[in-house]
Amino acid sequence: MTIFNLITMLGEQVSGIEPIICGDQQDAVAYSCGVLTERTKAHAEMYANLSVHWSLEEGERSLGDATVPAGRKVGTWQLVFSGGQPKLVWADYVGQKRLKPSQG
């Protein structure tokens, strides 16, 4: 099992760290998509207005020293509006940076 962290960013400041323990990176991305899909249903406009986005990192990290990265950056989730509807978009840190809509 591997430790990943779903990090809530308010602008450029860390506002929350949520550990995710799972088998691999693909599971961590899928789990974070599910969590954020539920979380943003009721508050999508507020998150977008506050420039909230989420990072996914592999490794241990604590809120006490939030400025120190956990380890390897996996990617980020951003909330965008398409046709007036909120949509989570994943940006992968591995290889060439690509944006792709979530499937969740």
Side-chain angles (χ1 to χ4, degrees):
M1 297 304 253
T2 304
I3 296 174
F4 293 87
N5 290 285
L6 181 59
I7 302 161
T8 302
M9 303 291 294
L10 180 58
E12 295 303 315
Q13 288 190 308
V14 174
S15 67
I17 298 174
E18 190 173 339
I20 300 170
I21 300 172
C22 55
D24 60 24
Q25 177 178 316
Q26 185 176 354
D27 289 345
V29 172
Y31 178 82
S32 65
C33 180
V35 166
L36 294 175
T37 296
E38 286 302 311
R39 188 175 295 164
T40 58
K41 278 183 183 177
H43 305 292
E45 193 171 326
M46 177 192 71
Y47 285 133
N49 287 337
L50 293 173
S51 299
V52 174
H53 59 280
W54 299 267
S55 295
L56 187 63
E57 293 182 356
E58 180 180 354
E60 293 187 45
R61 187 168 180 177
S62 70
L63 193 53
D65 197 2
T67 60
V68 178
R72 186 176 65 86
K73 290 184 177 183
V74 177
T76 60
W77 287 106
Q78 293 182 324
L79 192 61
V80 298
F81 282 84
S82 176
Q85 297 297 314
K87 180 181 275 189
L88 285 168
V89 177
W90 174 254
D92 201 347
Y93 280 118
V94 179
Q96 191 175 31
K97 195 169 187 178
R98 298 169 304 211
L99 289 177
K100 54 187 173 185
S102 69
Q103 301 298 313

